[in-house]
Amino acid sequence: MLAIYVPILVYWLYSSFYMILGSTKKYRLHSYEEEDQKNLVSKREAIKGVLLQQIVQVIVAFLMFKVSSNHGSSTSTPIIKLAKQFTIAALVFDAWQYFMHRYMHHNRFLYKHVHSYHHRLVAPYAFASQYNHPLEGLLLDTLGGAVSFVVSGMSPRASAFFFSFTTIRGIDVHCGLIVPWNPLHNAWDTYGLYY
């Protein structure tokens, strides 16, 4: 059960940290006025969308762990095997998200009716990083996570760490802040991924 709920807990704690940090205006990419003017979704709607996405994730993860032959064990996984599983999961998850995201931009129907929901937040904020159309959430995040879990062969315990990291990474990219002491922000800013 921790493998299902830890990434969700990490999501709300980490995004709350950024929301508090963003209240100082020091690290913000967009002003409050820009948020109000540019965003087509209220914060309340964004929270409802994220909660729906997380409910679907809980259901799919529960079912996946139920049918998965890899239930983990009480013994610890050797670090080399764990690193291999994380690497495979990261490659599968990133490739899945990249190609699905790219396809949703190129397919006019999917962009208009599905992916455009995510772009309703022009001036993003941390707790809305998982805001998108329910179908996109299912196809990109939930199904991509399930495939990476199965292909990598990681245990549910290991997946709690892996999906907590991917959650942190997603929040960092969508938080609407640039924090110089965050090594992930520095890496993404270096490659121009915020602009």
Side-chain angles (χ1 to χ4, degrees):
M1 295 309 282
L2 285 176
I4 295 172
Y5 294 111
V6 166
I8 293 172
L9 180 63
V10 166
Y11 181 88
W12 291 107
L13 289 175
Y14 196 66
S15 63
S16 295
F17 167 74
Y18 273 130
M19 292 306 291
I20 293 167
L21 192 61
S23 67
T24 66
K25 298 182 183 181
K26 182 177 180 180
Y27 304 114
R28 295 177 63 84
L29 294 174
H30 305 279
S31 68
Y32 287 117
E33 293 79 25
E34 285 179 295
E35 276 183 11
D36 291 339
Q37 292 170 355
K38 293 181 178 181
N39 288 340
L40 304 175
V41 177
S42 70
K43 289 181 179 177
R44 183 183 183 120
E45 286 179 75
I47 289 172
K48 285 172 30 179
V50 169
L51 290 173
L52 175 62
Q53 158 95 7
Q54 291 176 338
I55 288 168
V56 171
Q57 285 176 342
V58 165
I59 292 167
V60 170
F62 180 77
L63 293 172
M64 184 182 60
F65 289 142
K66 273 288 206 206
V67 300
S68 174
S69 61
N70 185 11
H71 295 355
S73 64
S74 59
T75 61
S76 62
T77 305
I79 192 75
I80 298 295
K81 183 178 180 182
L82 194 59
K84 180 181 170 187
Q85 291 172 338
F86 271 54
T87 301
I88 291 169
L91 290 172
V92 170
F93 191 66
D94 284 353
W96 183 281
Q97 289 207 317
Y98 172 79
F99 287 111
M100 289 296 291
H101 182 243
R102 187 175 175 97
Y103 182 69
M104 287 195 179
H105 273 269
H106 287 289
N107 183 300
R108 289 182 182 173
F109 179 84
L110 286 176
Y111 185 85
K112 181 179 180 181
H113 298 287
V114 178
H115 187 61
S116 64
Y117 275 60
H118 182 69
H119 290 287
R120 290 177 178 179
L121 293 169
V122 178
Y125 30 85
F127 68 80
S129 70
Q130 288 183 358
Y131 175 77
N132 50 33
H133 188 281
L135 181 61
E136 180 177 356
L138 180 65
L139 292 176
L140 249 75
D141 299 325
T142 306
L143 197 54
V147 169
S148 64
F149 170 77
V150 171
V151 170
S152 69
M154 71 174 75
S155 68
R157 184 182 315 174
S159 77
F161 289 99
F162 177 76
F163 291 118
S164 291
F165 174 74
T166 61
T167 296
I168 287 169
R169 187 180 67 169
I171 291 168
D172 275 341
V173 171
H174 292 89
C175 69
L177 305 175
I178 187 95
V179 182
W181 40 263
N182 182 328
L184 296 175
H185 282 203
N186 285 329
W188 287 318
D189 187 40
T190 300
Y191 295 106
L193 298 176
Y194 276 108
Y195 308 103

